Amino acid sequence: MRVGLIGLPNAGKSTLFNALTVAGAATAPYPFTTIEPNVGVATVPDDRLDRVADVAGCERRVPAVVNFVDIAGLVEGASHGEGLGNQFLGHIRDVDAVVYVIRAFGGDVPHVLGAVDPVTDVEILETELMLADLATVERVQQKLARQAKSGDPALKRQLETVERVRGELERGVSARVHVSGLGDDALPEDLSLLSAKPALFVANVDEDPAARPDLTPVRTIAAERGGELVVVSAEIEEEMAQLDAAERVEFAAELGVEGALSAVVHAAFALLGLITFFSVESGECRAWPIRAGTHAPQAAGAIHTDMEKNFIKAEVVHCDDLFADGSLAEARHHGHLLLEGREYVVADGDVITFKFGR
Ligand SMILES: Nc1nc2c(ncn2[C@@H]2O[C@H](COP(=O)(O)OP(=O)(O)OP(=O)(O)O)[C@@H](O)[C@H]2O)c(=O)[nH]1
Ligand SMILES: [Mg+2]
């Protein structure tokens, strides 16, 4: 599962990507620095991992990660080939969720539209995605109209839904807002809409609070479009990512920017519909990302496919019980360590040892 960073050129996408992944992608004060997407992983900060490891006496700790893709900047008309043009469509199609990186810092870095205006930037991004979607929907609509002539009621219903979706897109409403409530087979399976992807809005603000535009309007738009707004100063975060942990904490406290980057990662994690369970094995405690609603055998499969195939039982204790009890032995003693079967739905924060055959 991957989260794509999208935005206008010079919005700070690669700078944010570097802060998140410490990958060292090229950044520069001119548009279209990024052409081919950069791909990297960000670790998910989670203090429960250290606490589980301490209680279970693990030396090694392996955090969960989120995959980020830093995509080329897109400009007005991109859906018709402006700027780097259509290639961005394919890159956005490949990700499971998007982060809109919105420029909210001033300075000498040129803005493609001449002025910093977060609301206009959001509108351009959303419009380009919706225009790309309209082209897709029109194609699908024509195909369905031909197929529905056979009289198949399911196809006729899909055609009606597609026509409604088209109407909403033409009114400028992103699919995220009107498609999510539809049932599973309401739309053709191969209809992949860019503006339906879960979205997070990140305002990349100036390090100087006095030089920041008012973010209230963009916050309102984000809420209307079904996304959260996180405020971050990517340049500061990129600099801080180079520091060691202790320096970072001190620097962040000094600047009053604690936790901004974590907020982006956590929001992206949630956007993908992920939760975390922990494993404790041979001195290693590890956080595993899985989709909310995953059953125990499939969660075991995240660790190893053999563990899913040969799944027998899961020994589960919730981390909050473990912390309260102080040790696995005490948790067992208090009846908090339970044996669960195939139907068990893993909860966020579960600490699990899988029992499997050979
Ligand atoms: N002052 C300030 N400058 C920033 C910030 N974030 C990025 N920049 C600068 O803005 C310029 C563009 O940043 P990039 O990260 O390359 O932007 P991008 O969105 O990846 O741009 P393209 O790849 O061209 O689409 C660079 O010179 C950055 O140093 C910020 O938070 N504050
Ligand atoms: Mg870039």
Side-chain angles (χ1 to χ4, degrees):
M1 299 247 263
R2 308 183 334 151
V3 181
L5 304 178
I6 64 175
L8 265 55
N10 277 348
K13 300 176 295 298
S14 299
T15 306
L16 179 63
F17 173 81
N18 286 341
L20 289 164
T21 65
V22 203
T27 64
Y30 46 78
F32 304 121
T33 304
T34 307
I35 296 178
E36 284 308 313
N38 299 302
V39 182
V41 296
T43 55
V44 182
D46 188 342
D47 60 3
R48 296 174 305 175
L49 175 65
D50 277 328
R51 295 176 68 194
V52 172
D54 287 343
V55 171
C58 294
E59 268 183 30
R60 274 168 295 128
R61 290 137 204 233
V62 185
V65 296
V66 174
N67 298 299
F68 281 95
V69 189
D70 167 33
I71 298 174
L74 68 95
V75 290
E76 195 164 7
S79 56
H80 302 298
E82 290 294 324
L84 294 178
N86 268 323
Q87 56 178 305
F88 86 92
L89 296 177
H91 297 144
I92 301 177
R93 239 176 259 298
D94 282 347
V95 299
D96 303 284
V98 293
V99 173
Y100 288 98
V101 182
I102 312 297
R103 174 156 172 188
F105 62 88
D108 301 332
V109 176
H111 189 291
V112 280
L113 298 176
V116 175
D117 179 0
V119 170
T120 304
D121 291 6
V122 172
E123 295 298 1
I124 288 175
L125 296 171
E126 285 268 273
T127 302
E128 290 308 317
L129 297 199
M130 285 189 280
L131 286 173
D133 285 348
L134 261 177
T136 308
V137 165
E138 280 163 16
R139 262 197 321 274
V140 169
Q141 189 183 355
Q142 282 167 9
K143 192 173 112 193
L144 275 174
R146 279 196 305 276
Q147 293 171 335
K149 284 195 186 128
S150 68
D152 182 334
L155 288 175
K156 273 174 91 171
R157 270 199 306 278
Q158 283 192 346
L159 179 60
E160 281 163 22
T161 313
V162 165
E163 277 164 1
R164 253 203 328 276
V165 168
R166 177 179 175 173
E168 292 290 339
L169 287 169
E170 279 168 348
R171 290 201 305 122
V173 186
S174 43
R176 197 177 312 114
V177 178
H178 52 88
V179 161
S180 59
L182 302 173
D184 264 355
D185 47 9
L187 288 169
E189 222 174 278
D190 57 352
L191 182 66
S192 140
L193 297 178
L194 305 182
S195 73
K197 293 193 189 272
L200 168 70
F201 296 74
V202 169
N204 183 14
V205 295
D206 210 283
E207 16 320 355
D208 175 9
R212 292 175 191 172
D214 178 15
L215 294 176
T216 316
V218 76
R219 199 179 294 282
T220 308
I221 290 182
E224 283 167 12
R225 310 285 161 86
E228 190 188 335
L229 178 78
V230 178
V231 177
V232 65
S233 182
E235 198 155 74
I236 292 178
E237 298 295 340
E238 189 189 22
E239 281 166 25
M240 288 202 301
Q242 317 297 325
L243 304 176
D244 68 36
E247 286 175 330
R248 201 178 310 148
V249 170
E250 197 183 319
F251 195 51
E254 224 167 82
L255 295 171
V257 296
E258 289 126 297
L261 202 61
S262 305
V264 175
V265 182
H266 285 142
F269 195 76
L271 212 54
L272 293 172
L274 297 174
I275 59 166
T276 306
F277 79 87
F278 302 96
S279 67
V280 174
E281 179 74 46
S282 328
E284 178 178 286
C285 182
R286 189 159 174 166
W288 299 91
I290 51 168
R291 270 183 179 280
T294 300
H295 289 93
Q298 287 70 43
I303 302 180
H304 200 289
T305 43
D306 283 351
M307 286 170 79
E308 177 174 354
K309 255 194 306 200
N310 304 324
F311 176 89
I312 299 173
K313 289 272 174 209
E315 201 174 39
V316 184
V317 55
H318 193 270
C319 66
D320 290 338
D321 288 331
L322 183 63
F323 301 150
D325 295 337
S327 73
L328 281 165
E330 280 298 308
R332 191 186 301 276
H333 180 69
H334 286 102
H336 289 145
L337 199 64
L338 300 173
L339 269 185
E340 303 284 2
R342 302 192 148 271
E343 296 309 313
Y344 180 70
V345 176
V346 175
D348 184 48
D350 275 351
V351 181
I352 310 183
T353 306
F354 293 104
K355 311 285 175 198
F356 57 104
R358 308 238 160 234

